[in-house]
Structures are given as C-alpha cells and as structure tokens.
C-alpha cells in the first residue's frame, strides 16, 4: 500500500504510517492507494486511479472538491479530534455575550463604574444546541450542567441531558441562546433564516462555531439591526479566512467576533492532536479495520 501525505507531518507520525504503508510525495502521488490531506487538488485527483481512501485532517469536509471524488473512494473526516476545545470556545462565547462581560469590561476601562444593563441567569432558560455531534453534544452537556434547559437539534435522535428535536423551529422558539455546531453540507447551507432567528428571545445570543454559511448572512445583519439587544457571537465567517469580507457585520456593536481560532488555527497543540487522530484513523483503514467519521457523500454531492 502507498499513502500520499500532502500535509506537513512530524517525523514520528510519518513513522507510524510507515509501519503499514510506503509514504510517497507529490511526484509519486498517482501511485497512492490512500491520501492524508487537508484538501486535495482536482487535477491530481483525476490522475490518482488507484485511490481508495481519503483521510482529511479537519472535522469539516465542505471544502473538498466533492464533484471530482469518485463514488468508490471512501472519505473520512476528523470529527472529535478538536471537539473539546471548540466546545469550550462555544461556551466561552455564549457566556461572554450572555453575561455582558465585554460591555462591562469596556465601561470599567473607561472609568464608568455604573451598572446599566441586566445580567440574567442562564439557569432555567431555554438554550438550543444545533448539531449534536462531537462538538454540539459536549456543549449541550456543559450547558445542561449549568442548569439551562437544553434543546438538542440534529437529524438522528440522540440521548443526553437535552430534549431532542429534529425541528429547527422547536429548538429555537423562545430560546435565550443558541449554539450552532452544524457542518456545512448541501442540506445545511442557508438553513437558518431570518424567520428562525426571530423565534428567539429579543435579547438572545446566537453562537456559531460550525460554519458561517449555515446561517443566512442577510438574516443575521437584519436581526442585528432590528434587535439591538440580540447578539451574534461567532468564530466562523462567510468570507472564510478573508475576514474583511464580513467587516460590515463584524463591526456591528452587537457582534462578538473571533478569527476562526476555536480549533486548529488557534493552537499548535490542537493541530498536533488533529494530525495524531487523522493518522490513527488512516492506520485503521490500512490495517483493514473500520475507520471513524466516514463522510456521507450524499450530504455534499
Ligand atoms: P460531527 O460530525 O461530530 O457532528 C455533526 C452534527 O451535525 C451531527 O450531530 C449531525 O447529526 C448534525 N447534522 C449534520 N447534518 C445535519 C442536518 N442536515 N440537519 C441537522 N443536523 C445535522 O462534527 P463536529 O461536531 O466535530 O463538528 C461540526 C462542525 O464544526 C464541523 O463540520 C466543522 O464545520 C465545524 N468546526 C469548526 C471548528 C472551528 O475552528 N470553529 C473546528 C472544528 C469543527 P446526524 O448525526 O443526525 O447526522
């Protein structure tokens, strides 16, 4: 077996793969049975006639050239490899916004020590968690532990300290906060519209750590204009890494913005763990065991 590794892999991790397969560079990629990558080049893909398995280093798989990946090639993602820190980040964004920490911090620094806005409890309030996967389930458990009444939304019913629903409207109606940890697929793109956001409380907090494109950008701009107490707190943006494209929304007073740092981009330690888990999953495939996180092709094509 031959594996084409297109990511920068530390020697010890490359060594683990070499116990099971020959590692080849780009010059011999066409000989590879499997590839370990962040993304794969369309042209190269068409030339890789022996390719059977693609191991991606990220949890999200929306950036892949799905149309050009032959149906007989199995694609595995890396969900779970950074889920704990991303879940921590989601809870941090939610609580920072909900508890008005940036508001009071700015006032205090300016010498204004007055108390002018309410800081309500989250305990007993309805919170929607959209996507009950590796990230969402962790967020939902953490918020339930704080006493929030958690509604968990995904396709497949999942047990946990939440009320499960597969209806977005039921999850969001009257919610004081929502966290989206949904992947971007052909089904979730633009899924959250203006009508959905209006179902939430007037002063609700909407956190997004999944992908920006799951939420309609115009809907976010409109609700933020119409409801000055509504907060959109997000780590992910419609312009992807070109954050300037979203400067109009990022600059709004009721937005809390971070530059996609919840996961791998935020920490070398997290990136290392992502590579480790991707390598382990690739080795499962090389050994003939069942790999984790097999993508559903029909979500993308
Ligand atoms: P998982 O694959 O573990 O979870 C995805 C969840 O979304 C599952 O519960 C799945 O439910 C649900 N889902 C998928 N499609 C739909 C749909 N059409 N309707 C309702 N629910 C749906 O992934 P993770 O939790 O690890 O990651 C989620 C996303 O977060 C990634 O895809 C990535 O885009 C993003 N991410 C962002 C990071 C950052 O740095 N900000 C870092 C890591 C990930 P079901 O089981 O029913 O299909």
């Amino acid at each position: 077996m031959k594996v084409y590794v297109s990511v920068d892999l530390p020697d010890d991790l490359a060594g683990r793969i070499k116990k099971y397969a020959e590692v080849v560079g780009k010059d011999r990629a066409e000989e590879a049975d499997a590839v370990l990558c962040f993304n794969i080049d369309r042209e190269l893909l068409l030339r890789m006639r022996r390719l059977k398995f693609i191991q991606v280093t990220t949890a999200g798989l929306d950036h892949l050239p799905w149309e050009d990946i032959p149906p007989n090639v199995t694609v595995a993602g890396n969900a779970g490899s950074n889920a704990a820190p991303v879940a921590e980040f989601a809870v941090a964004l939610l609580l920072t916004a909900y508890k008005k920490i940036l508001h009071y911090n700015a006032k205090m620094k300016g010498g204004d020590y007055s108390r002018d806005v309410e800081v309500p409890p989250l305990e007993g309030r309805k919170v929607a968690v959209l996507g009950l996967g590796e990230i969402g389930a962790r967020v939902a458990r953490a918020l339930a532990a704080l006493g929030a009444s958690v509604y968990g939304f995904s396709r497949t019913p999942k047990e946990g300290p939440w009320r499960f629903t597969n209806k977005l409207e039921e999850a969001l109606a009257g919610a004081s906060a929502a966290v989206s940890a949904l992947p971007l697929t052909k089904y979730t793109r633009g899924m959250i519209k203006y009508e959905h956001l209006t179902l939430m409380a007037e002063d609700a907090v909407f956190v997004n750590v999944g992908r920006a494109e799951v939420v309609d950008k115009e809907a976010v701009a409109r609700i933020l204009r119409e409801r000055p107490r509504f907060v959109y707190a997000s780590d992910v943006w419609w312009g992807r890494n070109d954050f300037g494209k979203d400067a109009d929304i990022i600059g709004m007073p009721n937005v809390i913005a971070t530059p996609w740092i919840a996961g791998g981009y935020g920490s070398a330690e997290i990136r290392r763990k992502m590579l480790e888990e991707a390598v382990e999953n690739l080795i499962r495939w090389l050994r003939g065991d069942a790999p984790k996180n097999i993508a559903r092709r029909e979500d993308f094509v």
Side-chain angles (χ1 to χ4, degrees):
M1 290 269 216
K2 291 175 189 155
V3 178
Y4 166 46
V5 176
S6 70
V7 290
D8 211 0
L9 204 59
D11 287 347
D12 64 316
L13 295 185
R16 284 194 213 170
I17 299 174
K18 284 175 189 163
K19 287 185 189 158
Y20 302 92
E22 185 184 347
V23 173
V24 297
K26 192 167 186 180
D27 55 324
R28 291 177 58 203
E30 287 161 38
E31 299 168 30
D33 305 277
V35 57
L36 173 66
C37 62
F38 163 72
N39 199 353
I40 185 154
D41 181 76
R42 275 199 165 85
E43 277 182 30
L44 183 60
L45 195 54
L46 296 174
R47 296 202 310 270
M48 297 179 78
R49 303 204 182 278
R50 296 177 50 162
L51 185 65
K52 291 180 231 29
F53 184 70
I54 301 176
Q55 175 63 56
V56 182
T57 53
T58 54
L61 298 171
D62 45 284
H63 57 288
L64 298 181
W66 279 100
E67 298 288 346
D68 298 314
I69 299 175
N72 63 320
V73 173
T74 302
V75 178
N78 204 6
S81 63
N82 58 6
V86 177
E88 292 163 11
F89 203 89
V91 173
L93 280 176
L94 193 161
L95 291 177
T96 301
Y98 193 76
K99 295 294 180 182
K100 317 285 194 303
I101 288 171
L102 296 184
H103 170 79
Y104 277 112
N105 182 57
K107 275 164 57 89
M108 295 286 281
K109 303 248 181 222
D112 177 353
Y113 308 126
S114 65
R115 302 181 185 107
D116 59 346
V117 294
E118 289 280 301
V119 183
L122 194 63
E123 187 182 29
R125 299 292 163 96
K126 177 174 174 179
V127 178
V129 176
L130 313 178
L132 285 174
E134 294 284 349
I135 298 170
R138 283 173 170 81
V139 171
R141 283 195 291 270
L143 295 173
L146 292 176
S149 166
V150 179
Y151 278 59
F153 165 81
S154 75
R155 291 182 291 203
T156 321
K158 195 166 181 179
E159 298 263 330
W162 50 74
R163 190 162 155 175
F164 175 80
T165 177
N166 55 15
K167 293 183 185 64
L168 195 50
E169 292 78 3
E170 188 185 351
L172 292 173
S176 295
V179 174
S180 177
L182 285 166
L184 179 61
T185 69
K186 72 177 185 201
Y187 299 112
T188 62
R189 183 178 290 276
M191 177 190 256
I192 298 160
K193 302 181 177 26
Y194 174 74
E195 306 84 84
H196 297 117
L197 298 176
T198 58
L199 294 173
M200 299 180 71
E202 191 74 22
D203 58 350
V205 173
F206 192 102
V207 172
N208 196 348
V209 291
R211 285 288 181 267
E213 300 94 322
V214 169
V215 191
D216 180 66
K217 183 175 178 179
E218 285 315 308
V220 173
R222 183 171 168 196
I223 199 97
L224 291 170
R225 277 194 307 270
E226 290 176 0
R227 297 186 180 180
R229 289 160 62 223
F230 191 105
V231 178
Y232 187 73
S234 187
D235 187 46
V236 285
W237 302 97
W238 297 272
R240 293 274 161 155
N241 271 310
D242 190 353
F243 305 116
K245 284 191 176 158
D246 298 311
D248 48 346
I249 289 198
I250 290 171
M252 293 176 83
N254 40 352
V255 167
I256 296 179
T258 53
W260 205 348
I261 48 164
Y265 289 124
S267 146
E269 186 180 334
I270 296 173
R271 285 196 293 280
R272 162 82 198 186
K273 174 127 186 300
M274 290 168 73
L275 288 176
E276 281 174 6
E277 296 212 7
V279 165
E280 285 313 310
N281 210 37
L282 168 65
I283 289 172
R284 271 184 206 107
W285 182 82
L286 290 170
R287 280 202 308 234
D289 298 336
K292 300 195 291 186
N293 297 315
I294 301 296
R296 296 193 204 183
R297 185 181 167 82
E298 64 274 18
D299 274 349
F300 301 97
V301 185

